Amino acid sequence: MKTVLSGIRPTGNLHLGNYYGALINFLKMQEEHKCFFFVADWHSLTTHPDPKMLHENVRNVLAEYLACGLDPEKATIYLQSDVPEIAELYLLLNMHAYLGELEKTVSFKEKARQNPNNVNAGLLTYPVLMATDILIHNADYVPVGKDQEQHLEMTRNYANRFNHKYGVEYFKLPTPFIYGHELIKIPGLDGSGKMGKSEGNCIYLIDEPKTIEKKVKGALTDNGPEAPNTPKPDYIENLFTILKVVSTPEAVAYYDNLWNTGETKWYGKLKKQLAEDIIQVTTPIRERINDIKNDDAYLRKVTRDGAEKARESAGKTLRDVREIMGFKMF
Ligand code: TRP
């Protein structure tokens, strides 16, 4: 059994693309591996969030991930800021992170350009904190998107550097989690590529049925196929891609057939079916999100239990690292 770890940014609501892209894979991972999932609330401080918003955002992501099926009995689910061991290891690892390489990080350069008035040291050392998150549980695998690959590479550098410096083979070099299948990419409703790029093309898990109907109705279409058996334009293919994940194979075949015969005037029906099937998927999740969000006792229990498990694992690493670096007890 391998250790898998993922950090979750406390911003934004989950949409259908997140659900089919990452979430359903997390559900499988927690069955097969030792998993750590945490809310990266310290990381979010780099942008100076309003304290009131910070708490609500943390509540929100936690409720959404739990509602999707992340299970505190199977995975260790915690808040980063509940584990002070992370702050200490971060301090120690910072001594091995060099200014030159931090300044060259793509994410740092981008953020610094976007927000020239808030180029704080936390932003600069964001990759060290992320490396700490991973190394403190000696994770084998980290499910990362393209934007996080460089951070993971830096994590391996720090792990390697530490091992060399102290002549130990203590930290494992974590690698991207390999799924063994193509990730499902949910397109947006506006024909512009991925869901999530802009507000208008997104269906959120917390969207009410009325909102979903309206959004699907507004999805980009045209006058229908110009002739039988022509290829579908991207924006029509997109609707079929979503249909494939939320509907039955029979429904997909039925509309595919309508397209191929070259008939027109059935997009309304397709959209109605699509909206209905999306609503069927999201309704139980939405109801759970709302229940969990209002259940402070449950959230308190999940985060307390999670912090306890995470601290046990983190504490062990930290004791070893202190010893390796020369901090000894009298
Ligand atoms: N940086 C990640 C993001 O922006 C969040 C994150 C923080 C993370 N620590 C992590 C992801 C550790 C994986 C492992 O999405």
Side-chain angles (χ1 to χ4, degrees):
M1 196 161 54
K2 298 290 189 181
T3 301
V4 182
L5 173 140
S6 186
I8 301 159
R9 248 175 299 179
T11 49
N13 291 307
L14 289 175
H15 53 69
L16 224 49
N18 301 129
Y19 182 68
Y20 286 106
L23 251 303
I24 54 168
N25 291 301
F26 286 7
L27 303 187
K28 225 172 117 204
M29 276 175 211
Q30 71 182 358
E31 302 293 335
E32 295 169 0
H33 299 285
K34 178 171 181 182
C35 287
F36 292 91
F37 298 114
F38 69 95
V39 180
D41 50 359
W42 273 334
H43 274 110
S44 72
L45 290 182
T46 53
T47 56
H48 299 175
D50 173 342
K52 276 201 232 65
M53 288 311 294
L54 179 63
H55 182 66
E56 285 315 304
N57 289 342
V58 169
R59 173 194 297 280
N60 223 20
V61 280
L62 200 56
E64 293 203 335
Y65 275 76
L66 291 167
C68 286
L70 277 205
D71 185 346
E73 301 288 323
K74 293 175 180 155
T76 302
I77 301 169
Y78 60 101
L79 307 184
Q80 187 183 33
S81 63
D82 280 341
V83 183
E85 288 79 3
I86 297 171
E88 185 176 336
L89 183 62
Y90 168 60
L91 181 148
L92 299 175
L93 284 184
N94 263 322
M95 308 303 164
H96 298 292
Y98 295 102
L99 183 60
E101 63 193 0
L102 290 170
E103 280 175 333
K104 270 190 269 166
T105 313
V106 175
S107 59
F108 173 71
K109 286 197 292 191
E110 238 170 62
K111 287 267 165 58
R113 192 163 35 77
Q114 287 163 356
N115 280 306
N117 298 324
N118 186 19
V119 186
N120 60 67
L123 191 64
L124 181 72
T125 56
Y126 185 111
V128 188
L129 183 54
M130 181 158 157
T132 306
D133 293 329
I134 298 167
L135 297 177
I136 204 153
H137 300 299
N138 236 325
D140 297 284
Y141 299 122
V142 183
V144 284
K146 267 252 157 301
D147 63 328
Q148 301 297 316
E149 272 173 12
Q150 189 181 26
H151 293 154
L152 191 57
E153 191 186 320
M154 291 169 83
T155 303
R156 284 194 295 277
N157 283 343
Y158 298 139
N160 204 15
R161 191 174 292 163
F162 180 94
N163 290 347
H164 262 273
K165 168 83 190 163
Y166 299 102
V168 291
E169 272 182 50
Y170 186 71
F171 285 125
K172 292 186 213 163
L173 309 189
T175 53
F177 186 88
I178 308 292
Y179 289 99
H181 58 84
E182 282 277 313
L183 285 191
I184 299 173
K185 285 198 198 85
I186 300 290
L189 295 173
D190 56 359
S192 76
K194 251 171 83 171
M195 182 170 283
K197 283 233 167 94
S198 61
E199 274 295 302
N201 83 3
C202 236
I203 290 173
Y204 294 103
L205 297 179
I206 44 143
D207 278 346
E208 293 289 332
K210 281 262 165 306
T211 312
I212 296 177
E213 279 165 15
K214 207 168 130 218
K215 286 182 175 177
V216 174
K217 224 182 224 170
L220 182 65
T221 47
D222 52 21
N223 293 325
E226 283 171 12
N229 295 314
T230 48
K232 301 184 188 92
D234 285 350
Y235 49 92
I236 299 296
E237 191 65 60
N238 286 353
L239 298 183
F240 276 84
T241 304
I242 306 178
L243 195 69
K244 274 182 204 143
V245 293
V246 295
S247 299
T248 59
E250 290 75 31
V252 177
Y254 173 79
Y255 289 102
D256 237 350
N257 186 50
L258 281 178
W259 173 272
N260 286 327
T261 54
E263 264 180 71
T264 56
K265 301 211 177 5
W266 47 270
Y267 285 154
K269 193 168 160 191
L270 165 70
K271 285 179 170 178
K272 194 161 165 279
Q273 167 115 41
L274 187 57
E276 256 173 38
D277 293 341
I278 293 174
I279 290 166
Q280 196 161 3
V281 172
T282 56
T283 294
I285 301 177
R286 185 185 71 254
E287 288 171 357
R288 278 198 302 272
I289 293 174
N290 290 328
D291 286 348
I292 296 173
K293 247 203 271 195
N294 293 312
D295 193 346
D296 274 347
Y298 178 65
L299 288 171
R300 198 175 310 124
K301 174 159 175 36
V302 168
T303 49
R304 268 201 200 155
D305 293 354
E308 195 180 312
K309 284 198 272 176
R311 291 194 66 183
E312 195 183 315
S313 158
K316 185 188 166 304
T317 306
L318 192 57
R319 278 192 297 280
D320 293 342
V321 169
R322 280 191 197 148
E323 177 92 18
I324 292 168
M325 290 181 79
F327 294 93
K328 309 224 170 170
M329 288 217 273
F330 287 103

